Amino acid sequence: MNNPATTNNASDGAELEHRILAFAQEHPELGQAAVAAKLRAEGFSISPSGVRYIWKKHDLETAIKRLRALAQQSPDGVDSLTESQQRLLERGNLTAHLTRQGSSTDNDTEITEEPLERRQMIINAAAELFSVSGYDRTSIRDIAAGVGLLPGSVYHHFPSKEELYLAVLREGFVSQMARIKMAVEAGSDPWEKLKLACQEHVHGIVDSSPIHRITGHNLALSDNLALQEKIKPYRQAYEDIFRQLIDALPTTEKVDRSLLRLFLLGGMNWIFLWYREGGKSGRQIADLMVDMIRNGVGPRPLQ
């Protein structure tokens, strides 16, 4: 098979390969189509598949691999990456880990090789519609209209509505886990850590983006058992955070920690059904819920 990145001049080919690898370092988050377009603007004759050929030759064919390589080359490691690059790398690593849990494939390309801006626009529009209308009453045509695309353009990024729904939930779970883990680090004791985690959880459901809202919805309600089974690895990873936090609480021996976790998550997840703007914020509600669990709701005994 011919090398799709080869030019008629060997020196030109070496220069082109050098520029492709330079883009992998300077702009690791860009996909092959975007890099090919920039190179063509510089006067090189190259296709997206030609860019991918060179990247694959150097084991750099996904954005996650390029970010990992960039971090490994720097003495500062991941800290050498920009904040957005660190978030992309964290999301990609976690997504790959969860995908391996849910299937036998090892795939780094889940969120990395499509043009990120358009892909994210589709995910955001889908999350909005799924959170308002539900999975069954939302169509690909509706989602495409929401971002000014033809349905075929959406199918180019996501082969089915189910895959798009899973991408929305995956994005929500990964983002919420990252936010909760960061919040918990500021806690000084087990109860404060739990409260901080609950604040982020409820904030995500009532005060945040549609992606986070749909994540909360899914944890509370869904009548699509097949989809629930595919989402299960992500839900388990998410709930494990609360399992660890509750296991660390200083409680009486009679407390059933598993039931406590289910009780707390169930109460928080149900908020999206009754919450109305204008009252307490999501974080205030979470504080009160944890305080009621910790201190009880009965009258204090007489001293």
Side-chain angles (χ1 to χ4, degrees):
M1 182 176 68
N2 293 330
N3 179 345
T6 298
T7 67
N8 293 329
N9 186 300
S11 61
D12 289 345
E15 183 182 359
L16 175 57
E17 181 166 348
H18 173 77
R19 290 296 296 130
I20 292 172
L21 295 177
F23 268 106
Q25 287 194 319
E26 296 164 7
H27 304 285
E29 68 277 11
L30 291 183
Q32 60 202 40
V35 171
K38 288 182 177 295
L39 287 170
R40 287 196 296 272
E42 294 180 8
F44 292 100
S45 177
I46 186 69
S47 66
S49 61
V51 173
R52 182 174 177 80
Y53 174 87
I54 297 300
W55 279 347
K56 193 172 181 62
K57 174 181 173 183
H58 295 271
D59 196 26
L60 298 170
E61 70 271 18
T62 71
I64 300 304
K65 288 184 176 182
R66 295 191 290 277
L67 287 168
R68 287 173 185 162
L70 191 59
Q72 290 170 359
Q73 291 170 9
S74 170
D76 295 328
V78 173
D79 290 339
S80 65
L81 304 178
T82 66
E83 185 176 343
S84 62
Q85 288 173 344
Q86 290 180 27
R87 288 199 301 268
L88 177 60
L89 179 58
E90 181 178 6
R91 190 164 79 244
N93 286 337
L94 186 53
T95 296
H97 173 69
L98 293 173
T99 301
R100 287 194 296 271
Q101 286 185 335
S103 70
S104 60
T105 60
D106 183 1
N107 186 4
D108 270 341
T109 64
E110 195 70 40
I111 64 167
T112 59
E113 282 308 309
E114 298 293 350
L116 296 180
E117 296 83 2
R118 179 173 291 184
R119 192 178 195 281
Q120 194 63 53
M121 286 171 54
I122 294 170
I123 287 177
N124 291 342
E128 182 71 51
L129 288 170
F130 286 142
S131 67
V132 172
S133 304
Y135 177 79
D136 292 330
R137 288 179 292 174
T138 299
S139 68
I140 290 292
R141 186 175 296 276
D142 296 332
I143 295 167
V147 288
L149 298 174
L150 295 173
S153 297
V154 176
Y155 283 119
H156 171 73
H157 295 270
F158 304 96
S160 67
K161 184 173 77 168
E162 179 180 287
E163 287 300 319
L164 177 51
Y165 186 69
L166 291 173
V168 169
L169 289 172
R170 182 164 48 243
E171 174 94 4
F173 279 121
V174 170
S175 176
Q176 276 290 83
M177 281 190 279
R179 288 168 55 169
I180 288 174
K181 288 178 178 178
M182 183 178 297
V184 165
E185 289 178 357
S188 59
D189 65 75
W191 280 106
E192 185 181 6
K193 289 177 181 291
L194 178 62
K195 183 177 288 189
L196 290 168
C198 292
Q199 286 177 0
E200 285 300 322
H201 182 84
V202 179
H203 173 71
I205 292 175
V206 301
D207 298 323
S208 193
S209 70
I211 290 177
H212 298 110
R213 291 201 301 271
I214 194 66
T215 303
H217 294 201
N218 174 266
L219 283 164
L221 284 176
S222 178
D223 54 6
N224 191 316
L225 297 180
L227 271 177
Q228 282 293 332
E229 190 61 28
K230 291 184 178 181
I231 295 161
K232 192 174 180 179
Y234 305 95
R235 291 185 56 171
Q236 288 179 337
Y238 188 84
E239 291 185 21
D240 277 346
I241 296 175
F242 287 90
R243 181 179 290 105
Q244 293 168 13
L245 291 170
I246 289 174
D247 285 346
L249 294 176
T251 65
T252 65
E253 295 180 357
K254 294 181 179 180
V255 170
D256 184 323
R257 295 177 186 270
S258 178
L259 183 59
L260 176 58
R261 172 177 54 83
L262 295 172
F263 174 74
L264 181 57
L265 280 173
M268 291 192 297
N269 295 336
W270 212 253
I271 289 172
F272 83 89
L273 284 177
W274 54 259
Y275 178 79
R276 296 294 182 271
E277 292 184 1
K280 293 179 175 64
S281 70
R283 290 191 168 95
Q284 289 173 326
I285 293 170
D287 281 354
L288 290 171
M289 294 180 76
V290 175
D291 285 341
M292 285 190 287
I293 289 176
R294 182 179 186 181
N295 301 319
V297 296
R300 293 185 179 277
L302 297 175
Q303 297 295 327

